[in-house]
Amino acid sequence: MNKIGVIFDLDGVIVDTAKYHFLAWKKLADDLGFEFTEEHNELLKGVSRVRSLEILLDIGKVTVSEERKQEFLVSKNEDYLSYITKMEADEILPGASELLDALDEAGIKYVLGSASKNAPLILKQIGLYDRFAGIVDGNSVSKAKPDPEVFLIGANKLGLEPSQCVVFEDAIAGIEAAKNANMVAVGIGDEKTLSEADYNFNNLTEVPGNFFTELTTLN
Ligand code: B16
Ligand code: MG
């Protein structure tokens, strides 16, 4: 593994947009007349927008037409956009900027691999858009995590083999996607939840300074 590249998930790794997804989904649930809790919101992390709606409607035991579903997806995203268009660089999660600086210094390229169709907008809001060598988001994939598609496209953008790529992820489906892609999976968050990962850290500040040099010397 002489040369490596890095693929970052967005929500839960670079920024915490889950709290804004929660507020927007909760508004829809409130409108539909059922309770949607932060615990329920955990089920939506790393999951696509369409799948998130299906899970939410299941929670509320609500059945609606395809047309209504489309309307819900649009209104939820409008609410979500009202939050993320106010985001600024101070919402970058601890350790993320420092890690990107260290990768730049080491000449290691990185791309984004996110399920979010709003990923480019979020990266622009927080001033990190131009730092990434490529962006793979919810608009570029046809299959959601745990399918490896998002990360395989990322490897392609890095010009590397999947086995040379290191994925930083906070969701179980994302760790599974990384393993399905034959990549090194780094779990960010609860170690027990992300037990399938090759390495675990509570957050990006915990990634040791020599982490990437150690990886490059592994076979
Ligand atoms: P959007 P990630 C994911 O981001 C979120 O974790 C998930 O909760 C959300 O449903 C998904 O993006 C789609 O987001 O509605 O903006 O297209 O963790 O893959 O960066
Ligand atoms: Mg995530």
Side-chain angles (χ1 to χ4, degrees):
M1 205 193 203
N2 282 329
K3 198 172 174 202
I4 61 167
V6 180
I7 306 178
F8 288 100
D9 175 51
L10 181 61
D11 175 26
V13 175
I14 305 281
V15 283
D16 174 21
T17 38
K19 60 186 178 201
Y20 301 132
H21 282 295
F22 172 64
L23 292 173
W25 285 126
K26 188 172 166 7
K27 181 171 187 303
L28 176 61
D30 286 348
D31 290 347
L32 291 171
F34 64 89
E35 202 191 354
F36 181 72
T37 65
E38 298 218 24
E39 224 165 71
H40 289 140
N41 196 54
E42 287 299 309
L43 303 170
L44 311 187
K45 287 190 177 171
V47 171
S48 74
R49 195 182 308 168
V50 172
R51 183 71 196 119
S52 296
L53 176 63
E54 287 168 359
I55 295 171
L56 179 117
L57 293 176
D58 272 355
I59 291 167
K61 299 188 176 50
V62 174
T63 314
V64 291
S65 66
E66 274 310 307
E67 207 186 337
R68 283 295 274 152
K69 279 189 195 172
Q70 288 309 317
E71 288 168 11
F72 291 159
L73 289 171
V74 171
S75 63
K76 183 269 170 179
N77 198 53
E78 281 171 359
D79 279 335
Y80 180 61
L81 283 171
S82 74
Y83 297 111
I84 60 171
T85 49
K86 293 191 195 91
M87 285 179 81
E88 291 184 13
D90 61 0
E91 292 201 46
I92 298 171
L93 284 173
S97 295
E98 293 79 359
L99 195 60
L100 299 190
D101 289 346
L103 289 169
D104 287 343
E105 248 172 68
I108 298 172
K109 279 199 204 169
Y110 45 88
V111 297
L112 193 85
S114 165
S116 174
K117 292 186 173 178
N118 295 300
L121 170 64
I122 296 166
L123 285 182
K124 281 176 195 162
Q125 287 291 136
I126 59 173
L128 291 183
Y129 183 81
D130 295 327
R131 304 276 303 264
F132 286 79
I135 296 197
V136 192
D137 61 22
N139 302 294
S140 351
V141 295
S142 56
K143 286 167 260 168
K145 302 167 187 176
D147 189 281
E149 185 185 19
V150 59
F151 296 141
L152 292 176
I153 301 174
N156 203 268
K157 286 195 188 277
L158 288 166
L160 295 171
E161 292 300 319
S163 60
Q164 296 174 293
C165 297
V166 184
V167 174
F168 283 76
E169 252 294 346
D170 72 311
I172 300 172
I175 296 293
E176 283 174 10
K179 295 316 296 171
N180 288 337
N182 190 30
M183 297 179 178
V184 176
V186 183
I188 301 299
D190 181 46
E191 184 170 355
K192 281 197 198 105
T193 311
L194 305 174
S195 59
E196 301 294 311
D198 299 300
Y199 301 89
N200 291 88
F201 303 106
N202 288 312
N203 58 60
L204 294 181
T205 65
E206 288 187 0
V207 180
N210 63 353
F211 183 67
F212 295 104
T213 43
E214 291 275 305
L215 276 180
T216 51
T217 53
L218 288 177
N219 291 322

